[in-house]
Amino acid sequence: MSHKNEENDHKTSDNGMVRGLQNRHVQLIAIAGTIGTGLFLGAGRSISLTGPSIILVYLITGVFMYFMMRAIGEMLYMDPDQHTFINFITKYLGKGWGYFSGWSYWVSLIFLGMAEITAVAEYVQYWFPAWPAWSIQLVFLVLLSSVNLIAVKIFGEAEFWFGMIKIITIIGLIATGIFMVLTNFETPVGHASLNNIINDFQLFPNGWVSFVMTFQMVFFAYQAIEFVGITTSETANPRAVLPKAIKQIPIRIVIFYVGALVALMAILPWRELPVDASPFVMVFQLAGVKWAAALINFVVLTAAASALNSTLYSTGRHLYQIAKESDSRTMSKLKLDRLSRTGVPSPAIILSAIVIAVSALINVIPGVSDAFSLVTASSSGVYIAIYTLTMIAHMRYRKSQEFMTDGYLMPAYKILNPMTIAFFIFVFVCLFLQESTFIGAIGASIWIVLFGIYSQLKFKGQ
């Protein structure tokens, strides 16, 4: 098969999108996509469940997420004009599964966006407790929607600096850890040392169930790693940039996740780390940074804003794609299948932002916020179904006539692809083990079965 758009460095892709993202934007987006607020806020909880063996969980999960990215990368390398990897599900598994994945992914992203905008308000209220949450949410939505609406280059620039803040914070933590270990730094419970990790090491210090439970927590810390694949049709020279971004994922996982966890557990024995507060705050306070809590609050605020920025970008592209493939008059009337003069799907972004804004109302109504947290938990489970369908689509692609033999190939796909699918199923089963995720797992199962059947019937024979 001949290379489609051989160099692919022209200013617009075949779908009308402007290739405004440069290599540095994509590299930072790829890093930022692997570092969520979960690492800054949730590390203490996951460490408390299984101690130093949490590093193993992060590595195992990271390996399988990398395999998924290799599969997505291979398909996007073959056709870099696709807006999103979801298109390959439609292409290789049929319109039914494509319809299911397109809407499921958009809805899941919307609920993630709602969770992110709620978090943004909480972080701002740390400094300004008197400000009403709904007003903070609306201001951030308007600001970030504007960033997305102007041009993709502005979005890339904002994401670049959001990502940089997260990276600098983690490198700061790792540097603090190295300094404390080398100087035998005295802590309230002893000294900073690598022995804090090695001494009394057990693979399952709280039993194997706690160890297994951490997989779903770590899995969702990696959620949105696929986001870099959605930028392909708006990246200059994607065939050079995308493989580079994906190849560096394992190194980034080792540096940012494993490095941060090793630093935390070397400074303080893992049983001494806070469970319900950020261990990052505790470490920076030990290092003499009196305003550590405010610093980490600023970092998680930018991390949540970055996640919301990316969500608005993704939801806009997905809704635009759904509208393009749909023959719905309503979508056509709302102009959801149109691009602005700068090549941005403005109507789709605006509608997505309006739907996310509903969360501002939800949190004001008593009793509804509980139902909202349930739906958010359910959407996380639906993500696993979409990832699984993506891997199946990749297997079909390998057997199709479009398979590019000289493309960016996933290694040993016949073994690694089914192993990745088996891992995703294992993570889904893990959702049923914890009380906090059990109801969400049931909700996700109901959605997958009912909407899956509806989607198949809707496109029966197509």
Side-chain angles (χ1 to χ4, degrees), residues 60-74:
I60 292 167
T61 309
V63 163
F64 285 110
M65 296 306 268
Y66 172 65
F67 291 156
M68 180 187 76
M69 286 310 299
R70 285 301 299 257
I72 290 173
E74 182 180 344

Side-chain angles (χ1 to χ4, degrees), residues 99-216:
Y99 181 82
F100 167 84
S101 302
W103 278 113
S104 295
Y105 195 73
W106 185 78
V107 169
S108 296
L109 283 171
I110 286 291
F111 282 115
L112 281 174
M114 287 179 167
E116 284 148 8
I117 197 70
T118 305
V120 162
E122 285 175 18
Y123 303 143
V124 172
Q125 283 177 326
Y126 173 86
W127 290 296
F128 307 102
W131 288 9
W134 63 268
S135 62
I136 298 166
Q137 290 173 14
L138 295 179
V139 166
F140 266 82
L141 260 179
V142 170
L143 284 172
L144 294 174
S145 297
S146 303
V147 164
N148 273 274
L149 290 169
I150 299 164
V152 72
K153 190 177 180 180
I154 305 296
F155 160 80
E157 207 59 44
E159 223 25 50
F160 178 87
W161 292 107
F162 279 148
M164 195 65 82
I165 291 166
K166 290 192 274 191
I167 291 162
I168 290 167
T169 307
I170 294 172
I171 290 171
L173 174 85
I174 294 167
T176 303
I178 292 168
F179 170 78
M180 286 182 170
V181 167
L182 291 176
T183 58
N184 201 26
F185 188 90
E186 195 173 332
T187 68
V189 289
H191 292 88
S193 166
L194 289 173
N195 289 334
N196 288 333
I197 301 170
I198 303 158
N199 287 349
D200 194 29
F201 176 82
Q202 289 174 282
L203 193 58
F204 311 129
N206 294 324
W208 69 269
V209 176
S210 290
F211 178 78
V212 167
M213 266 164 46
T214 55
F215 274 94
Q216 55 89 9

Side-chain angles (χ1 to χ4, degrees), residues 36 73 101 135 172 174 201-202 238 281 321 364 397 409 415 428:
S101 302
S135 62
I174 294 167
F201 176 82
Q202 289 174 282
V281 174
Q321 185 60 34
V364 173
Y397 157 70
L409 305 182
I415 301 163
F428 194 86

